[in-house]
Amino acid sequence: MSEHRRKPPQPQGGGRAAARRAAQQPSGRRAARPAAGSPDASAHSPSGSYGSPSAPHAESGYGGRAEARRAQRGGGRRRGPDGAGPPGGPGRRAGRGGAAGGRPPKKRFIDYPRFGKQGWRRWVPSWKLVSACCLGCLGLLVAFIGAAYYMVAIPNVADAATAQNNVYYWADGSQMVATGGEVNRQIIQYEQIPAAMRYAVISAENKTFETDSGVDPQGIARALLNMAKGGQTQGGSTITQQYVKNARLDDQSQTLTRKFKELFISIKVGATRPKSEIMAGYLNTAYYGRGAYGLQAAARTYYSKDAKDLDPSQCAFLASLLKGATYFDPAGAPEIDPAATAEQNTKNATERWGWILDQEVKDKHMDAAERAKYKMFPMPDKPKKNANLGGQIGYLVSLAQASAKNNNPDIDMAKGGYQIYTTFDKKKVQEMEGVVKKVRDKNIDPKKRPDVDTFVQFGAASVDVKTGAIVAIYGGDDATKHFTNNADETGAQVGSTFKPFVLAAGMEYGKRDPNKPASQSDADRTPVSPDSIYSGKNKLKIKNYDGTVWKDQNGGEWLQTNDGNESYNPPSYAIDLRYAMQESVNTPYVQLGMDVGTDKVKQAAMAAGLRDSRTSMASSSVPSFSIGTSSPSAIRMAGAYATFAASGTQRDPFSVTLVKKNGNTIYKHEDQAKSAFPAAVANNVTDVLKGVVDKGTGTNAKLSGRQVAGKTGTTDGNRSAWFVGYTPQYSTAVGMYRLDDNETSKKREFLKMFGTGGQEKIHGASFPSTIWHDYMQQALGDSPAESFPAPEKIGDKVYGGGMSPAPSAPPSPSPSPSSTPSGKPSSTPSMSPSPSPSNSCSKWDWTCNDTGGTNQGPTTGGADGGMSPSPTPSRSKPGNGPGGWIAGPNG
């Protein structure tokens, strides 16, 4: 082939393609490494660069196709003077900012610190970045709020928000007192809240209440800002938020976490609960000062009326208290803040009261004409000192609480919320308290007679004969000072007022046959008549029913004394039971109890209504049981005597007719009358007790134009004195005693009353009968006089305690004309029942309960139990005694 046609040798490793690529290299890029075998290869080979000392140093090449590809992609390496590369060696570094003609690096997704900025400008975010951040935060907040709204549950109404007072009502339905629960609160329904109160609160507290969603963003912002600054914490500003805080959150702290919780619950409550429920809940849980929670309690506390009876002016004042009763109660609260004086608080309350009324006009909740009516500030009542349980109220409340609890053990008064309707007659309670106070103030003077007039106590109770309802009690001077209810059990023995139960047992069960065993059927017994004859001898040797002398466990004989050591109708000493009751002679009734059996006496007392409790019923194993060593309460004594007044029908005294809670009846009293005695027995007891008042020791209790039956009682050592009596309408018991009851030293001792009240000796015929008379006269008032049923003839004229029929009728004691008309106690023909052999019960024994029994046990000492007059008692009216009572030597 000719030389000129031979192709020039092609460079290895590239050829034309490599040349074209090299030609397409942009300006400023270094040329690709020469292909292997080219004239420049040695200059770019590694051996030439690094292995030979004589290799040129203008540029160190990396050669190969990879380098060409990198060059093709535009790797912006810096060029050297010849355009091939950086001077002095390889130039792999690319400028971050891009050299002239180079390509800048790609920007980051979040351009911060900012690209291409120097100095402080690099740290200033762009508006795009700021906007993106704001939108992102807002989205997260919306998502959080939405999730919280749907996740938050509305808590149940907190127990503290529903804790209420117990409300007690008088017998006429008027409110007595609200107390006894954990909180002075009474929940009322929305319909019972006056519209004026709702509008006053809306105008004063939350004008947008009826349209808002339950929160006030501006109010929340103010609260948060104030808390962030470290200032005073603030609560929610809307009615809904206040309701949530008061009623649905137990945690009352002012932390940020709790505020957020309150916020979300308020939003949900506002969206899911009717406004009426929220308003009623708020007004029923808000605090109005003076310990009153809720509108009803506030209305009673400040205006002594129910919430539904408040006028718009009074509503405006109560609404002002919601801002802070400490500074708006006109009574002041200097014990909390010295600046909260009565004068300043009155000014604050007057200004806010007027402002609220003006706001109601502005908000169109009240017209101007209505506003003009209220020019004078409605000054509330003065605070009551603990008010509500002073005087007799505390005793009445404690009695009603016990009654309700005993009738329904599920009632828990401590939880509150009960409405207790009592039997107490407000007027009669006041009359009884007034009478006792009058007698005490006139006669008892601890400063003048400190040794005998200190520790004097009175207790009394009055019961409706026909129903058993307790209409009045006297429990002591003041329930907040003297804590024992003297109308209830006190431990004071009742003395001779116990004798009617002995007489009833004699007529009901009869005298035992001395020739038969002690436990004998009624067929073997002889019913006793009030005309039965017993011995009135002082220091009478008491015998068992079979005629043997009674002896105690030590072998000692029992010699029963009469009061004043008086004997009656010597030399025979024969007196009938009627006269013995009239003059309160002890010996006949102690012996009668032995003839009948003291167990039967106890049974009769319990049938009448006394309780067989360890604290009130004494042991019946000794003869003195029949003359009143037991210590039942005044309430129980009044109830037991009411059994006689009701012709033998017994009803337990009760003080509560109805208990309700949340509109539901929890307890309702039902009449549970039962027959305690045949009518013949009860009516004969009444007839005998009439004689006590008409011409015996109880004449001081006479009521003009009315029949009265009753009995005096005085105990051994003159440590207590009683008068228990009744008319056909009411039965009332009055007790008096001296009791050193030191709670600190736990000392409890009944003291003698010789010289008390300036009297030589205190009898049931003195102060107790005076109190009974004056109270009953007022309690009966102008009510028509009623008569007792005429007594039937009953029983046989038996002779007890070894007495035997005299050839002629025994002479009856003849009191002097200054006392009672002379004359023998009336005797009635005996009635001798003839029970059939098949029936062991007497025809008067409706209960037919024959247990029999003997009277064994240790001697415990006797109580005179009452007055023991001489055959010719002399009664006079002491000049320094209470007006109107006639005292004698008997009680």
Side-chain angles (χ1 to χ4, degrees):
M1 183 179 292
S2 61
E3 186 72 19
H4 66 273
R5 293 183 64 186
R6 185 186 299 172
K7 293 182 179 180
Q10 298 295 323
Q12 296 181 7
R16 293 179 181 178
R20 284 195 300 271
R21 285 194 295 271
Q24 292 171 359
Q25 288 287 345
S27 175
R29 285 187 175 271
R30 75 180 174 191
R33 188 177 59 177
S38 66
D40 296 328
S42 61
H44 292 278
S45 68
S47 61
S49 300
Y50 302 102
S52 176
S54 62
H57 296 283
E59 181 178 0
S60 296
Y62 294 89
R65 294 179 180 179
E67 182 67 21
R69 284 195 297 271
R70 284 194 291 271
Q72 180 67 24
R73 286 196 298 268
R77 292 194 179 111
R78 291 186 299 170
R79 295 176 300 167
D82 58 356
R92 265 188 89 77
R93 289 180 304 163
R96 289 189 178 267
R103 182 177 177 183
K106 191 175 180 179
K107 294 182 180 178
R108 291 167 294 176
F109 178 75
I110 299 177
D111 186 20
Y112 193 82
R114 295 181 66 185
F115 178 82
K117 301 293 184 180
Q118 302 297 324
W120 61 269
R121 291 182 178 84
R122 295 186 64 206
W123 304 100
V124 177
S126 66
W127 66 271
K128 293 180 180 181
L129 183 59
V130 172
S131 300
C133 288
C134 290
L135 289 174
C137 291
L138 181 60
L140 290 174
L141 180 61
V142 170
F144 172 75
I145 292 175
Y149 177 81
Y150 284 105
M151 291 177 64
V152 71
I154 299 176
N156 293 328
V157 175
D159 290 340
T162 57
Q164 306 177 56
N165 251 329
N166 300 313
V167 185
Y168 296 81
Y169 297 90
W170 294 105
D172 62 5
S174 61
Q175 182 171 316
M176 178 198 304
V177 67
T179 187
E182 295 175 343
V183 178
N184 181 15
R185 177 188 288 119
Q186 298 156 243
I187 303 296
I188 57 177
Q189 301 302 314
Y190 179 79
E191 293 74 20
Q192 297 174 280
I193 299 172
M197 186 66 196
R198 302 197 300 266
Y199 291 141
V201 173
I202 289 172
S203 291
E205 302 285 327
N206 185 187
K207 293 179 182 293
T208 62
F209 169 72
E210 294 177 327
T211 58
D212 64 32
S213 61
V215 295
D216 178 7
Q218 292 182 349
I220 295 173
R222 287 194 303 269
L224 293 175
L225 180 61
N226 195 53
M227 291 172 66
K229 291 180 178 179
Q232 184 178 4
T233 56
Q234 297 178 356
S237 60
T238 68
I239 289 174
T240 303
Q241 286 177 267
Q242 292 285 12
Y243 165 61
V244 168
K245 181 182 72 171
N246 294 340
R248 296 186 179 271
L249 290 177
D250 289 324
D251 179 14
Q252 295 297 310
S253 63
Q254 295 289 343
T255 62
L256 193 60
T257 301
R258 184 200 169 282
K259 283 297 175 185
F260 275 115
K261 184 178 180 181
E262 176 188 308
L263 170 66
F264 291 122
I265 295 175
S266 298
I267 293 173
K268 199 156 193 177
V269 167
T272 60
R273 295 290 191 269
K275 294 292 185 180
S276 58
E277 178 184 329
I278 296 171
M279 175 61 77
Y282 172 57
L283 293 179
N284 276 324
T285 56
Y287 182 60
Y288 294 79
R290 300 190 189 180
Y293 288 82
L295 180 62
Q296 174 67 6
R300 298 299 313 180
T301 299
Y302 287 93
Y303 291 111
S304 301
K305 61 172 62 176
D306 292 328
K308 62 184 178 62
D309 298 324
L310 294 168
D311 63 39
S313 179
Q314 294 166 338
C315 288
F317 164 69
L318 293 181
S320 71
L321 293 173
L322 298 175
K323 189 171 179 65
T326 299
Y327 302 100
F328 290 90
D329 181 356
E335 69 280 4
I336 300 176
D337 187 341
T341 63
E343 181 181 0
Q344 183 61 46
N345 279 17
T346 301
K347 180 181 178 182
N348 295 343
T350 303
E351 291 177 354
R352 186 161 178 81
W353 160 79
W355 176 81
I356 291 175
L357 290 175
D358 292 340
Q359 289 298 304
E360 289 187 71
V361 174
K362 181 179 178 181
D363 298 335
K364 298 184 179 179
H365 296 315
M366 178 187 292
D367 56 43
E370 177 76 7
R371 168 67 179 91
K373 296 179 183 178
Y374 308 115
K375 297 180 179 179
M376 184 173 294
F377 177 69
M379 185 63 71
D381 299 340
K382 292 183 178 180
K384 303 176 181 68
K385 190 179 176 184
N386 172 3
N388 40 18
L389 294 180
Q392 299 304 302
I393 300 298
Y395 302 122
L396 299 174
V397 166
S398 64
L399 192 62
Q401 283 181 345
S403 176
K405 183 69 175 178
N406 289 337
N407 286 291
N408 187 343
D410 293 334
I411 292 176
D412 187 355
M413 291 294 182
K415 291 184 177 179
Y418 294 94
Q419 293 82 50
I420 301 98
Y421 296 83
T422 74
T423 61
F424 305 127
D425 186 308
K426 183 177 182 180
K427 183 172 181 290
K428 289 180 175 59
V429 169
Q430 293 172 341
E431 290 168 346
M432 181 174 282
E433 183 179 26
V435 167
V436 174
K437 187 176 185 301
K438 178 181 177 182
V439 170
R440 172 187 286 279
D441 291 348
K442 184 175 182 179
N443 298 281
I444 307 302
D445 190 347
K447 293 182 179 179
K448 184 177 180 180
R449 293 178 293 271
D451 294 339
V452 293
D453 280 12
T454 55
F455 308 118
V456 174
Q457 296 291 334
F458 293 91
S462 186
V463 172
D464 188 316
V465 166
K466 297 177 177 62
T467 65
I470 303 172
V471 297
I473 65 168
Y474 179 82
D477 294 340
D478 189 327
T480 61
K481 300 175 182 176
H482 174 74
F483 306 112
T484 301
N485 186 348
N486 294 346
D488 214 338
E489 291 183 11
T490 60
Q493 295 180 356
V494 295
S496 283
T497 58
F498 201 81
K499 289 175 181 174
F501 306 124
V502 185
L503 178 60
M507 292 187 287
E508 170 78 357
Y509 303 112
K511 180 180 179 294
R512 288 177 288 183
D513 187 335
N515 299 315
K516 294 186 177 181
S519 178
Q520 52 190 259
S521 68
D522 290 345
D524 297 325
R525 293 170 175 261
T526 304
V528 173
S529 162
D531 299 313
S532 297
I533 304 301
Y534 277 79
S535 174
K537 182 181 179 180
N538 185 52
K539 294 185 178 180
L540 179 69
K541 187 177 293 186
I542 299 300
K543 299 178 180 179
N544 294 309
Y545 83 98
D546 59 1
T548 60
V549 177
W550 187 90
K551 294 181 180 180
D552 61 26
Q553 60 184 1
N554 297 321
E557 297 181 347
W558 187 285
L559 299 178
Q560 180 61 50
T561 61
N562 292 320
D563 187 62
N565 291 314
E566 297 287 346
S567 291
Y568 292 81
N569 196 32
S572 68
Y573 304 109
I575 59 174
D576 61 29
L577 294 175
R578 187 183 302 273
Y579 182 80
M581 184 77 75
Q582 174 184 313
E583 301 300 331
S584 201
V585 187
N586 291 336
T587 52
Y589 281 93
V590 172
Q591 187 59 62
L592 174 62
M594 298 298 290
D595 291 346
V596 175
T598 51
D599 60 325
K600 292 294 186 181
V601 174
K602 178 179 178 179
Q603 189 172 328
M606 291 172 58
L610 300 190
R611 289 176 171 171
D612 185 16
S613 69
R614 181 177 58 85
T615 57
S616 65
M617 187 69 74
S619 171
S620 61
S621 61
V622 292
S624 59
F625 175 75
S626 295
I627 51 175
T629 55
S630 296
S631 54
S633 67
I635 293 172
R636 284 285 158 182
M637 287 300 290
Y641 272 47
T643 301
F644 298 133
S647 297
T649 299
Q650 191 271 333
R651 294 178 174 87
D652 278 340
F654 69 99
S655 59
V656 175
T657 59
L658 183 68
V659 179
K660 301 180 74 175
K661 186 171 186 178
N662 298 328
N664 300 318
T665 297
I666 307 300
Y667 163 76
K668 185 177 182 180
H669 173 76
E670 295 181 2
D671 187 21
Q672 297 181 348
K674 54 182 177 286
S675 177
F677 306 109
V681 172
N683 292 341
N684 271 277
V685 170
T686 295
D687 188 58
V688 171
L689 295 182
K690 281 175 59 182
V692 174
V693 176
D694 289 341
K695 52 188 177 181
T697 60
T699 54
N700 192 40
K702 284 184 178 180
L703 296 172
S704 177
R706 296 184 183 275
Q707 292 187 1
V708 176
K711 184 69 187 77
T712 56
T714 306
T715 59
D716 187 26
N718 201 214
R719 288 177 171 84
S720 61
W722 290 76
F723 185 84
V724 186
Y726 53 92
T727 67
Q729 296 98 324
Y730 299 110
S731 175
T732 301
V734 180
M736 175 182 177
Y737 53 90
R738 288 181 66 212
L739 176 60
D740 184 0
D741 193 356
N742 190 321
E743 295 183 357
T744 303
S745 64
K746 297 183 179 181
K747 177 182 178 182
R748 198 169 194 274
E749 179 184 3
F750 284 92
L751 306 175
K752 295 180 180 180
M753 293 191 291
F754 297 107
T756 296
Q759 302 301 306
E760 181 181 349
K761 183 178 181 180
I762 297 297
H763 304 114
S766 56
F767 301 133
S769 66
T770 298
I771 292 171
W772 188 96
H773 171 274
D774 292 353
Y775 161 73
M776 288 290 283
Q777 193 169 48
Q778 295 181 48
L780 292 165
D782 297 329
S783 63
E786 298 181 25
S787 298
F788 294 117
E792 302 176 30
K793 293 180 180 180
I794 190 173
D796 291 343
K797 184 177 180 179
V798 302
Y799 292 81
M803 301 296 291
S804 60
S808 60
S812 61
S814 302
S816 66
S818 63
S819 148
T820 56
S822 61
K824 177 183 176 180
S826 60
S827 300
T828 58
S830 64
M831 296 181 64
S832 303
S834 302
S836 64
S838 62
N839 185 1
S840 63
C841 300
S842 72
K843 70 177 184 178
W844 297 284
D845 187 358
W846 293 3
T847 60
C848 193
N849 185 2
D850 180 27
T851 59
T854 58
N855 301 291
Q856 301 296 329
T859 300
T860 60
D864 62 29
M867 307 307 302
S868 304
S870 64
T872 55
S874 174
R875 297 185 178 89
S876 60
K877 178 180 179 181
N880 58 351
W885 71 268
I886 301 175
N890 317 302

